[in-house]
Short mmCIF file of all heavy atoms in Angstrom, two decimals:
data_model
loop_
_atom_site.label_atom_id
_atom_site.label_comp_id
_atom_site.label_asym_id
_atom_site.label_seq_id
_atom_site.Cartn_x
_atom_site.Cartn_y
_atom_site.Cartn_z
N HIS A 15 -4.90 -8.19 24.01
CA HIS A 15 -6.32 -8.45 24.27
C HIS A 15 -7.07 -8.73 22.96
O HIS A 15 -7.88 -9.65 22.88
CB HIS A 15 -6.92 -7.24 25.02
CG HIS A 15 -8.35 -7.44 25.41
ND1 HIS A 15 -8.72 -8.33 26.40
CD2 HIS A 15 -9.50 -6.90 24.93
CE1 HIS A 15 -10.03 -8.31 26.51
NE2 HIS A 15 -10.52 -7.46 25.63
N ARG A 23 -13.10 -15.76 18.67
CA ARG A 23 -14.12 -15.77 17.60
C ARG A 23 -13.65 -16.57 16.37
O ARG A 23 -14.30 -16.57 15.33
CB ARG A 23 -14.58 -14.37 17.24
CG ARG A 23 -13.55 -13.44 16.70
CD ARG A 23 -14.16 -12.12 16.20
NE ARG A 23 -13.13 -11.29 15.66
CZ ARG A 23 -12.49 -10.35 16.33
NH1 ARG A 23 -12.80 -10.10 17.59
NH2 ARG A 23 -11.54 -9.64 15.74
N ASP A 42 2.79 -3.32 7.55
CA ASP A 42 1.75 -2.81 8.46
C ASP A 42 0.58 -2.25 7.65
O ASP A 42 -0.58 -2.51 7.95
CB ASP A 42 2.35 -1.74 9.37
CG ASP A 42 1.39 -1.31 10.46
OD1 ASP A 42 0.88 -2.19 11.19
OD2 ASP A 42 1.15 -0.10 10.59
N LEU A 50 6.87 -9.66 13.83
CA LEU A 50 7.91 -10.24 14.67
C LEU A 50 9.28 -9.70 14.23
O LEU A 50 9.68 -9.92 13.09
CB LEU A 50 7.91 -11.77 14.56
CG LEU A 50 9.06 -12.49 15.27
CD1 LEU A 50 9.01 -12.26 16.78
CD2 LEU A 50 9.04 -13.99 14.97
N ASP A 92 12.19 -10.61 19.50
CA ASP A 92 12.91 -11.76 20.08
C ASP A 92 13.98 -11.29 21.07
O ASP A 92 14.77 -10.38 20.74
CB ASP A 92 13.63 -12.55 18.97
CG ASP A 92 12.82 -13.72 18.48
OD1 ASP A 92 11.98 -14.25 19.24
OD2 ASP A 92 13.03 -14.13 17.32
N ASN A 101 19.30 -17.03 33.78
CA ASN A 101 19.53 -15.90 34.67
C ASN A 101 18.34 -14.94 34.53
O ASN A 101 18.27 -14.14 33.60
CB ASN A 101 20.84 -15.20 34.28
CG ASN A 101 21.19 -14.05 35.21
OD1 ASN A 101 20.32 -13.50 35.87
ND2 ASN A 101 22.47 -13.70 35.25
N PRO A 142 4.63 -8.15 28.17
CA PRO A 142 3.99 -9.33 27.60
C PRO A 142 5.02 -10.27 26.96
O PRO A 142 5.94 -9.81 26.26
CB PRO A 142 3.05 -8.75 26.53
CG PRO A 142 2.91 -7.31 26.86
CD PRO A 142 4.19 -6.90 27.51
N HIS A 146 7.85 -19.82 22.73
CA HIS A 146 8.25 -20.42 21.44
C HIS A 146 8.72 -21.84 21.75
O HIS A 146 9.72 -22.02 22.46
CB HIS A 146 9.36 -19.57 20.82
CG HIS A 146 9.79 -20.02 19.45
ND1 HIS A 146 10.41 -19.16 18.55
CD2 HIS A 146 9.73 -21.21 18.81
CE1 HIS A 146 10.70 -19.81 17.44
NE2 HIS A 146 10.30 -21.08 17.57
N THR A 150 13.28 -24.77 18.21
CA THR A 150 13.70 -23.47 18.75
C THR A 150 15.13 -23.23 18.23
O THR A 150 16.09 -23.85 18.71
CB THR A 150 13.65 -23.49 20.29
OG1 THR A 150 14.24 -24.71 20.77
CG2 THR A 150 12.22 -23.41 20.79
N LEU A 173 6.25 -31.14 25.19
CA LEU A 173 5.84 -29.90 24.52
C LEU A 173 4.46 -29.45 25.02
O LEU A 173 4.24 -28.26 25.30
CB LEU A 173 5.83 -30.11 23.01
CG LEU A 173 5.66 -28.82 22.20
CD1 LEU A 173 6.53 -28.87 20.93
CD2 LEU A 173 4.23 -28.53 21.82
N ALA A 177 3.73 -26.03 27.02
CA ALA A 177 2.74 -25.07 26.49
C ALA A 177 1.78 -24.67 27.61
O ALA A 177 1.48 -23.48 27.79
CB ALA A 177 1.99 -25.69 25.32
N LEU A 179 2.34 -24.85 30.79
CA LEU A 179 3.11 -24.10 31.80
C LEU A 179 3.25 -22.62 31.38
O LEU A 179 3.04 -21.72 32.20
CB LEU A 179 4.50 -24.74 31.95
CG LEU A 179 5.46 -24.00 32.86
CD1 LEU A 179 5.19 -24.36 34.32
CD2 LEU A 179 6.90 -24.34 32.52
N ILE A 193 6.44 -28.74 14.00
CA ILE A 193 5.98 -29.91 14.75
C ILE A 193 4.83 -30.53 13.97
O ILE A 193 4.22 -29.87 13.11
CB ILE A 193 5.53 -29.56 16.20
CG1 ILE A 193 4.32 -28.59 16.20
CG2 ILE A 193 6.67 -28.97 17.01
CD1 ILE A 193 3.69 -28.39 17.58
N ALA A 214 3.46 -25.97 11.24
CA ALA A 214 2.70 -26.68 12.27
C ALA A 214 1.25 -26.91 11.82
O ALA A 214 0.37 -27.14 12.65
CB ALA A 214 2.74 -25.89 13.58
N MET A 225 9.73 -13.03 6.50
CA MET A 225 9.37 -12.22 5.34
C MET A 225 10.25 -12.52 4.11
O MET A 225 9.75 -12.69 3.00
CB MET A 225 9.48 -10.73 5.70
CG MET A 225 9.19 -9.82 4.55
SD MET A 225 9.69 -8.14 4.86
CE MET A 225 8.25 -7.48 5.63
N LEU A 229 8.78 -13.90 0.49
CA LEU A 229 8.89 -12.99 -0.66
C LEU A 229 9.83 -13.55 -1.74
O LEU A 229 9.96 -12.96 -2.80
CB LEU A 229 9.39 -11.62 -0.22
CG LEU A 229 8.42 -10.73 0.58
CD1 LEU A 229 9.11 -9.43 0.97
CD2 LEU A 229 7.15 -10.44 -0.22
N PHE A 235 16.61 -21.65 1.00
CA PHE A 235 15.87 -22.24 2.12
C PHE A 235 14.52 -22.74 1.59
O PHE A 235 13.67 -21.96 1.18
CB PHE A 235 15.68 -21.15 3.18
CG PHE A 235 14.98 -21.60 4.44
CD1 PHE A 235 15.52 -22.60 5.24
CD2 PHE A 235 13.79 -21.01 4.84
CE1 PHE A 235 14.87 -23.01 6.41
CE2 PHE A 235 13.15 -21.40 6.00
CZ PHE A 235 13.69 -22.41 6.78
N MET A 250 14.21 -8.41 -8.49
CA MET A 250 15.29 -7.48 -8.12
C MET A 250 16.48 -7.64 -9.04
O MET A 250 17.10 -6.66 -9.46
CB MET A 250 15.69 -7.70 -6.65
CG MET A 250 14.62 -7.25 -5.68
SD MET A 250 14.89 -7.84 -4.00
CE MET A 250 16.16 -6.73 -3.47
N LYS A 256 18.97 -4.28 -15.41
CA LYS A 256 18.50 -3.24 -16.34
C LYS A 256 19.17 -1.90 -15.99
O LYS A 256 19.63 -1.18 -16.88
CB LYS A 256 16.96 -3.13 -16.21
CG LYS A 256 16.34 -2.08 -17.09
CD LYS A 256 16.20 -2.58 -18.53
CE LYS A 256 15.45 -1.59 -19.41
NZ LYS A 256 16.31 -0.67 -20.15
N TYR A 257 19.29 -1.60 -14.71
CA TYR A 257 19.94 -0.36 -14.26
C TYR A 257 21.41 -0.36 -14.70
O TYR A 257 21.90 0.63 -15.28
CB TYR A 257 19.84 -0.24 -12.73
CG TYR A 257 20.71 0.86 -12.16
CD1 TYR A 257 20.34 2.19 -12.27
CD2 TYR A 257 21.92 0.55 -11.53
CE1 TYR A 257 21.15 3.20 -11.76
CE2 TYR A 257 22.73 1.55 -11.02
CZ TYR A 257 22.34 2.88 -11.13
OH TYR A 257 23.13 3.87 -10.64
N LYS A 262 25.63 1.77 -18.30
CA LYS A 262 26.73 1.48 -19.23
C LYS A 262 26.46 2.09 -20.61
O LYS A 262 27.37 2.55 -21.29
CB LYS A 262 26.93 -0.04 -19.40
CG LYS A 262 27.23 -0.78 -18.12
CD LYS A 262 28.69 -0.79 -17.79
CE LYS A 262 28.94 -1.58 -16.53
NZ LYS A 262 30.26 -1.29 -15.96
N THR A 263 25.18 2.03 -21.03
CA THR A 263 24.85 2.49 -22.38
C THR A 263 24.46 3.98 -22.41
O THR A 263 24.03 4.49 -23.45
CB THR A 263 23.67 1.67 -22.96
OG1 THR A 263 22.56 1.81 -22.07
CG2 THR A 263 24.04 0.20 -23.11
#
Side-chain angles (χ1 to χ4, degrees):
H15 184 70
R23 62 173 182 265
D42 188 53
L50 173 63
D92 264 334
N101 183 337
H146 184 157
T150 45
L173 190 142
L179 174 82
I193 63 171
M225 178 194 272
L229 288 178
F235 182 61
M250 290 167 77
K256 179 79 174 94
Y257 169 76
K262 302 273 182 197
T263 58

